[in-house]
């Protein structure tokens, strides 16, 4: 088990949230590059290979940890924010788009959580941010997240981001729910994750839900998001004038309204 730094935190905001972490002297938090919102005087930042949890394992350990991050499409580097002052100091990290920041105390989750590749935001120093391979071929090919997800290990706090509205649900043993693959944020390792064919070609082609569902079977806790980033990006892209979309979706005049309004 990693040596975790004990941190205090507070989450602010409703739709565009940020998490403010309070650090005692020599305590530190680790975050993805570009997530920092602000930090108080006395906090020093250092860019490290991987997540910084392998520093005691030497250069090769750090290199291995950083290399695993490449498989998830993340940067080789993360940033450590350490309080080098004599009193408490604060550092804050902002959500990348509308949604909720989810605090996960890993000790309460059995020491491990599996999450989407881009959902991790920040954590107490000592959290190991690794990879979780999907062993089932169907899950890897059609699961939307591919063969590789992120695995957070430790006994302290980690923070992940969910787009839109967050849903938390604890599945009873054998209880099953079907979800859109993009709506999955995180799950406990005790939850079985598989892919199921919709079964009706008409529904698959014209129903807008795709050919496959992700099936989650308990026991364990799952976290779902109502607005996956891919869905948000598709809607924005489709509404762009360059792709034939219109900013005046409620107008019966459509593109003609833009011309009359002097937008073109």
């Amino acid at each position: 088990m990693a040596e975790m730094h004990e941190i205090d935190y507070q989450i602010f905001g409703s739709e565009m949230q940020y998490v403010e972490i309070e650090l005692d002297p020599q305590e530190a938090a680790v975050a993805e590059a570009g997530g920092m919102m602000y930090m108080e005087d006395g906090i020093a930042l250092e860019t490290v290979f991987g997540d910084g949890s392998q520093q005691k394992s030497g250069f090769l350990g750090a290199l291995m940890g950083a290399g695993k991050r490449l498989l998830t499409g993340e940067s080789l580097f993360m940033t450590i924010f350490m309080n080098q002052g004599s009193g408490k100091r604060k550092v804050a990290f902002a959500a990348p788009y509308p949604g909720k920041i989810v605090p996960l105390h890993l000790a309460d989750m059995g020491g491990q959580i599996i999450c989407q590749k881009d959902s991790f935001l920040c954590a107490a120093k000592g959290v190991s941010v690794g990879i979780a391979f999907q062993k089932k071929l169907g899950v890897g090919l059609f699961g939307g997240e591919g063969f590789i997800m992120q695995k957070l290990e430790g006994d302290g706090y980690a923070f992940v981001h969910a787009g839109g509205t967050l849903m938390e649900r604890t599945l009873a043993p054998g209880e099953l729910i079907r979800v859109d693959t993009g709506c999955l944020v995180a799950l406990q390792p005790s939850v079985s994750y598989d892919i199921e064919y919709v079964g009706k070609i008409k529904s698959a082609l014209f129903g807008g839900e795709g050919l496959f569902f992700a099936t989650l079977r308990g026991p364990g806790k799952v976290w779902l998001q109502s607005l996956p980033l891919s869905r948000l990006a598709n809607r924005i892209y489709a509404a762009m004038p360059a792709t034939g979309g219109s900013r005046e979706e409620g107008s019966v005049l459509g593109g003609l309204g833009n011309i009359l309004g002097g937008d073109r």
Side-chain angles (χ1 to χ4, degrees):
M1 187 75 67
E3 295 181 7
M4 307 291 301
H5 288 202
E6 295 291 335
I7 60 173
D8 298 312
Y9 75 93
Q10 191 170 358
I11 294 175
F12 295 91
S14 55
E15 304 304 326
M16 287 297 296
Q17 294 186 324
Y18 68 93
V19 56
E20 185 181 75
I21 296 177
E22 185 177 76
L23 301 172
D24 291 329
Q26 302 307 308
E27 279 188 347
V30 60
E32 292 285 2
M36 192 272 286
M37 177 180 172
Y38 80 91
M39 61 182 185
E40 293 183 342
D41 187 32
I43 291 182
L45 59 86
E46 180 185 8
T47 301
V48 297
F49 268 130
D51 51 32
S53 63
Q54 302 89 7
Q55 285 186 326
K56 291 185 177 180
S57 59
F59 175 76
L60 287 179
L63 191 60
M64 288 292 291
K68 289 189 293 185
R69 290 175 50 76
L70 279 182
L71 298 177
T72 64
E74 304 291 346
S75 168
L76 274 173
F77 301 94
M78 297 185 78
T79 306
I80 294 178
F81 299 83
M82 175 169 284
N83 180 5
Q84 295 185 341
S86 56
K88 294 180 181 293
R89 296 289 188 272
K90 294 177 180 177
V91 59
F93 305 94
Y97 57 95
K100 301 296 180 186
I101 294 175
V102 189
L104 301 171
H105 196 271
L106 297 179
D108 297 336
M109 307 294 170
Q112 189 181 104
I113 286 291
I114 309 298
C115 63
Q116 281 204 38
K117 289 179 290 188
D118 57 355
S119 63
F120 173 72
L121 184 62
C122 59
K125 186 175 182 297
V127 167
S128 171
V129 185
I131 57 176
F133 284 104
Q134 298 296 331
K135 298 177 182 177
K136 297 180 179 178
L137 181 63
V139 173
L141 292 177
F142 307 114
E145 306 310 320
F147 282 100
I148 301 173
M149 298 178 76
Q150 281 188 323
K151 179 171 61 177
L152 308 180
E153 292 181 289
D155 58 6
Y157 274 109
F159 301 87
V160 299
H161 178 256
T165 300
L166 172 71
M167 173 184 171
E168 296 185 21
R169 180 160 176 173
T170 300
L171 301 178
E175 184 180 5
L176 182 144
I177 58 172
R178 296 178 175 86
V179 302
D180 183 283
T181 56
C183 291
L184 176 64
V185 177
L187 69 160
Q188 286 187 287
S190 58
V191 176
S192 174
Y193 176 42
D194 207 343
I195 294 300
E196 181 180 89
Y197 175 54
V198 170
K200 295 181 179 179
I201 190 66
K202 185 173 69 174
S203 298
L205 294 179
F206 304 110
E209 304 299 340
L211 291 169
F212 302 94
F213 289 133
T215 60
L216 306 175
R217 187 184 298 276
K221 196 168 185 177
V222 298
W223 293 263
L224 306 180
Q225 59 186 356
S226 66
L227 183 61
L229 177 59
S230 58
R231 191 176 296 179
L232 174 63
N234 287 339
R235 290 298 181 92
I236 294 175
Y237 179 77
M240 293 173 61
T243 60
S246 171
R247 287 174 292 175
E248 302 293 339
E249 294 181 352
S251 171
V252 296
L253 297 178
L256 180 59
N258 292 334
I259 296 175
L260 296 176
D263 288 341
R264 294 182 183 176

